[in-house]
Amino acid sequence: MPDLPLSPGSSIGILGGGQLGRMLSQAASRLGFDVVILDPEDNSPAGRVSRGQIVAAYDNETALDVMGRVCDVVTFEFENVPASSVERLARAGALVAPGPMALAVAQDRVSEKTYLNAVGATTVDFAAVDDLEGLRAALDVIGLPALLKTRREGYDGKGQVWIRRKGDARRAWEAIGARPAILEARADFERELSIIAARGRDGAVGLYPPGENVHEGGILRTTTAPATLSPAVSRRARAIAEAVLDGLDYVGVMGIELFALKGGRLLVNEIAPRVHNTGHWTQDGCACDQFEQHIRAIAGWPLGSFEAQARVEMTNLLGPEVEQWRTASGEAGACVHLYGKGEARAGRKMGHINRVLGPARQARAR
Ligand code: AMP
């Protein structure tokens, strides 16, 4: 096991070579670390800005053993890496953060919601569904409308379908591929918020001021942060972050998506054991962004500042919208972040723009 805090010059491994890996790698390199990426696709967005990339599947044992040998700490940029890969890395001598427990909880929507409720972070009512008959029984308990989601591997609104009438059960079950699922009650939310929190190796927990998110078709469009929150809701957000991260003995940054109901009640929608799209605003709103914060945490450094210095609106550039860089690059207060991806397929996250709206203190509580 390496000595902590990790000294500059140490190597950090990242499983996954997408945009989150790229921005983590850039933050790590600012702190003097070398980064090695593991991703099955050659020339990945993260690989192109890192010391090196191993091109192999996430469960390739030889590749994992090399990662374990050359990296002092290994992290991941998406939650669907096989748990067995993380275990193998740990056996090869690498420190892995976040740990396998967080990965296991977040990979399955039923274990995730069960865990959240157990630590007092309330969610919508839900039921596990294993077959069509089970779905019909669950609809009787959960009521209508209800949202059927695959238990595993859903993201950006994929693998989920609304059920408005009981007669639609079969069609919905087939639409998600007749796979193990979860049925969720509809959250009647006023707005969607998210918490970007971090926990250090010493157990210290911090969180950025929550942001307000707008999704379309299940995909994030914008985050505006800091969101205007009453002191009571801010306190509740902190309590949720502490309970969720402490309960997993978590190390690193986590994204926690919330539904804010009328009257200020918060329900947790889901957690992501990694840096998060709704935390991109911190790159231009905070002295220490979520990517540096994650690297600090996993390297055993003290956590950085969570304070917002500016109010920021982050807009995702999806597919051909990436062309907006042409105008945004000449716009005062617009910070353009592009991921170096080739093909601008519809819905693909190609980049984002952080628009600085003004000083953070203008965000008043309501
Ligand atoms: P998810 O993939 O679970 O993050 O869901 C994507 C988006 O679908 C969320 O950001 C919400 O806008 C919406 N959504 C998910 N679950 C629910 C729910 N139980 N009730 C209402 N809207 C939901």
Side-chain angles (χ1 to χ4, degrees):
M1 286 287 164
D3 284 339
L4 293 175
L6 280 189
S7 307
S10 306
S11 290
I12 293 180
I14 303 177
L15 303 181
Q19 68 271 14
L20 299 179
R22 180 180 174 103
M23 292 183 276
L24 280 170
S25 179
Q26 289 166 327
S29 103
R30 275 202 312 272
L31 300 183
F33 295 113
D34 288 330
V35 175
V36 180
I37 303 292
L38 174 65
D39 190 289
E41 264 183 48
D42 194 12
N43 214 17
S44 67
R48 295 218 301 282
V49 301
S50 299
R51 167 102 191 258
Q53 178 182 336
I54 299 175
V55 182
Y58 296 119
D59 57 359
N60 181 307
E61 296 183 351
T62 314
L64 289 168
D65 291 347
V66 173
M67 285 288 275
R69 262 200 317 278
V70 302
C71 300
D72 300 288
V73 61
V74 178
T75 188
F76 40 87
E77 60 131 33
F78 71 117
E79 56 274 39
N80 290 323
V81 292
S84 56
S85 300
V86 169
E87 282 150 20
R88 189 172 180 101
L89 279 166
R91 279 204 305 278
L95 267 177
V96 185
M101 192 168 37
L103 202 58
V105 162
Q107 280 180 348
D108 178 325
R109 291 187 192 273
V110 172
S111 354
E112 181 181 42
K113 286 201 165 53
T114 306
Y115 167 73
L116 288 167
N117 286 290
V119 295
T122 315
T123 69
V124 291
D125 289 340
F126 67 97
V129 169
D130 293 318
D131 50 31
L132 181 56
E133 220 164 279
L135 172 56
R136 291 198 174 112
L139 283 167
D140 287 336
V141 179
I142 300 295
L144 291 165
L147 187 53
L148 184 67
K149 301 179 178 175
T150 54
R151 271 177 82 145
R152 291 175 165 270
E153 285 167 12
Y155 65 95
D156 284 349
K158 293 190 177 70
Q160 42 186 279
V161 47
W162 280 102
I163 304 180
R164 294 177 205 285
R165 292 173 308 152
K166 222 178 153 194
D168 291 342
R170 178 184 292 277
R171 189 190 42 78
W173 177 245
E174 283 164 6
I176 63 150
R179 286 186 288 160
I182 183 171
L183 187 71
E184 295 183 10
R186 184 179 66 182
D188 194 11
F189 57 83
E190 205 173 43
R191 47 190 185 148
E192 294 190 76
L193 304 173
S194 57
I195 298 170
I196 305 298
R199 188 167 178 276
R201 291 205 179 268
D202 58 357
V205 174
L207 68 159
Y208 294 96
E212 180 167 342
N213 308 315
V214 176
H215 293 87
E216 268 167 36
I219 304 186
L220 181 70
R221 293 301 330 197
T222 62
T223 298
T224 308
T228 46
L229 301 182
S230 70
V233 173
S234 298
R235 280 197 299 277
R236 181 72 194 128
R238 171 170 288 278
I240 289 172
E242 286 173 351
V244 173
L245 275 69
D246 282 345
L248 293 169
D249 196 16
Y250 194 80
V251 173
V253 165
M254 178 188 280
I256 305 176
E257 294 188 52
L258 304 169
F259 297 129
L261 310 186
K262 268 206 192 79
R265 219 173 136 227
L266 298 179
L267 299 180
V268 179
N269 173 28
E270 62 177 6
I271 59 176
R274 54 170 168 78
V275 286
H276 199 253
N277 195 168
T278 65
H280 291 358
W281 70 273
T282 60
Q283 291 173 306
D284 299 292
C286 303
C288 176
D289 69 28
Q290 64 163 347
F291 301 100
E292 177 177 335
Q293 200 70 270
H294 185 74
I295 298 298
R296 281 172 168 263
I298 65 172
W301 287 29
L303 296 181
S305 166
F306 288 87
E307 196 188 328
Q309 297 177 328
R311 193 150 189 268
V312 174
E313 181 189 70
M314 188 284 313
T315 305
N316 270 339
L317 298 176
L318 304 176
E321 291 167 6
V322 68
E323 285 300 313
Q324 288 176 24
W325 70 265
R326 293 179 190 279
T327 43
S329 55
E331 188 185 317
C335 309
V336 180
H337 299 260
L338 301 173
Y339 308 149
K341 294 184 182 176
E343 198 195 334
R345 287 191 302 274
R348 191 175 192 204
K349 289 177 179 169
M350 302 296 293
H352 63 273
I353 300 172
N354 283 335
R355 290 193 169 83
V356 176
L357 305 177
R361 66 175 178 278
Q362 284 179 3
R364 286 190 314 274
R366 75 173 182 207

